[in-house]
């Protein structure tokens, strides 16, 4: 029996080939060592909280390591990997597609200390300029921002939600506010003067079914295996 760990670890912080055999399960629990999220205080905060609280509670998963864009993440061992377009897809054998896209981008960054904190504070970072995310994400509602790690090993995490500007009355949560249709999880760190950004995109329905597992995948990005 594999020993359970109280953390999620990632052995590919430097985006180098993994020393673990491909597909080898890692038994972990769904816990995060991030600092508490910086919660949004705007008028939509209640709707955001409702969306993120609607996800089905986490289950105990066995995880395996997967390489995406040269970087490593841990995904539930039962998920089946599919290649798709500009990212990676995963299917659950029971519920089907668990996300719309998972991708990793790597780019040179103008910081000599090798830490993402030199790009700005986690709660005030311009996501489009600093992380190179698509413009619509920079305008999305930020559910929260958090960080984990110390010194040059700090990783920034973001929870974003996207809603259409207009919708039918049936798709309004409250008058004038459309229901969210997409959830995006971001994670970013700097290593050896290179910025590495993980983006996980899920529909509202995929998030409801797989939210805690998707957060676990995101939280494994940029971690060092102990």
């Amino acid at each position: 029996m594999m020993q359970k760990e109280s953390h999620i670890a990632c052995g590919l912080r430097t985006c180098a080939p993994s020393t673990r055999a491909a597909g080898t399960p890692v038994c972990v629990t769904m816990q995060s060592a991030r600092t508490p999220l910086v919660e949004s205080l705007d008028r939509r905060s209640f709707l955001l909280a409702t969306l993120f609280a609607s996800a089905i509670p986490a289950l105990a998963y066995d995880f395996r390591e997967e390489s995406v864009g040269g970087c490593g993440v841990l995904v539930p061992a039962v998920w089946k990997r599919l290649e798709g377009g500009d990212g990676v897809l995963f299917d659950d054998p029971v519920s089907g597609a668990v996300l719309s896209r998972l991708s990793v981008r790597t780019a040179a960054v103008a910081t000599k200390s090798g830490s993402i904190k030199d790009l700005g504070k986690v709660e005030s970072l311009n996501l489009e300029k600093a992380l190179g995310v698509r413009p619509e994400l920079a305008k999305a509602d930020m559910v929260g921002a958090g960080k984990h790690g110390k010194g040059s090993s700090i990783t920034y995490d973001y929870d974003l939600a996207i809603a259409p500007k207009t919708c039918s009355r049936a798709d309004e949560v409250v008058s004038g506010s459309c229901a969210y249709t997409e959830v995006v999880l971001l994670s970013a760190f700097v290593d050896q003067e290179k910025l590495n950004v993980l983006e996980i995109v899920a529909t509202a329905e995929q998030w409801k079914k797989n939210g805690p597992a998707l957060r676990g995948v995101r939280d494994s990005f940029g971690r060092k295996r102990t």
Side-chain angles (χ1 to χ4, degrees):
M1 180 179 294
M2 294 176 291
Q3 182 180 0
K4 285 188 176 288
E5 302 173 347
S6 60
H7 63 281
I8 295 175
C10 177
L12 300 181
R13 179 170 180 89
T14 58
C15 300
S18 173
T19 57
R20 179 182 293 274
T24 302
V26 180
C27 193
V28 301
T29 55
M30 301 294 293
Q31 297 180 11
S32 172
R34 294 185 302 160
T35 57
L37 291 175
V38 178
E39 299 296 344
S40 171
L41 298 178
D42 61 25
R43 69 183 183 87
R44 302 172 70 89
S45 60
F46 172 76
L47 304 179
L48 292 164
T50 300
L51 171 70
F52 276 70
S54 67
I56 296 173
L59 301 175
Y61 291 104
D62 283 349
F63 278 66
R64 72 174 188 274
E65 191 173 279
E66 287 282 347
S67 178
V68 181
C71 292
V73 293
L74 299 181
V75 304
V78 297
W79 287 4
K80 180 181 179 181
R81 176 171 176 158
L82 304 171
E83 302 298 330
D86 58 350
V88 175
L89 305 177
F90 288 95
D91 273 3
D92 183 279
V94 176
S95 60
V98 299
L99 50 82
S100 299
R101 186 179 72 256
L102 186 154
S103 61
V104 174
R105 301 187 310 278
T106 301
V109 63
T111 174
K112 296 299 182 180
S113 72
S115 174
I116 195 171
K117 65 182 180 181
D118 293 330
L119 301 182
K121 295 182 178 180
V122 62
E123 66 271 19
S124 58
L125 195 68
N126 185 309
L127 300 184
E128 184 177 3
K129 292 182 179 179
L131 303 186
V133 303
R134 44 199 167 102
E136 56 266 36
L137 290 189
K139 299 177 181 178
D141 286 312
M142 184 180 292
V143 180
K147 61 184 178 180
H148 60 253
K150 297 180 180 179
S152 62
S153 298
I154 290 178
T155 299
Y156 283 2
D157 297 327
Y158 297 93
D159 297 349
L160 308 174
I162 300 175
K165 294 182 179 179
T166 60
C167 59
S168 66
R169 292 292 295 273
D171 292 327
E172 289 184 345
V173 181
V174 296
S175 179
S177 294
C178 299
Y180 292 95
T181 57
E182 190 173 82
V183 173
V184 180
L185 303 181
L186 299 176
S187 187
F189 67 87
V190 170
D191 185 74
Q192 299 180 8
E193 298 182 22
K194 289 187 177 181
L195 174 68
N196 303 278
V197 181
L198 169 73
E199 179 179 329
I200 298 175
V201 182
T203 65
E205 186 62 25
Q206 289 169 339
W207 174 260
K208 183 177 180 180
K209 294 179 180 178
N210 306 288
L214 293 176
R215 267 204 176 122
V217 175
R218 189 271 306 278
D219 290 349
S220 73
F221 186 66
R223 300 293 181 84
K224 293 182 179 178
R225 179 171 296 121
T226 55

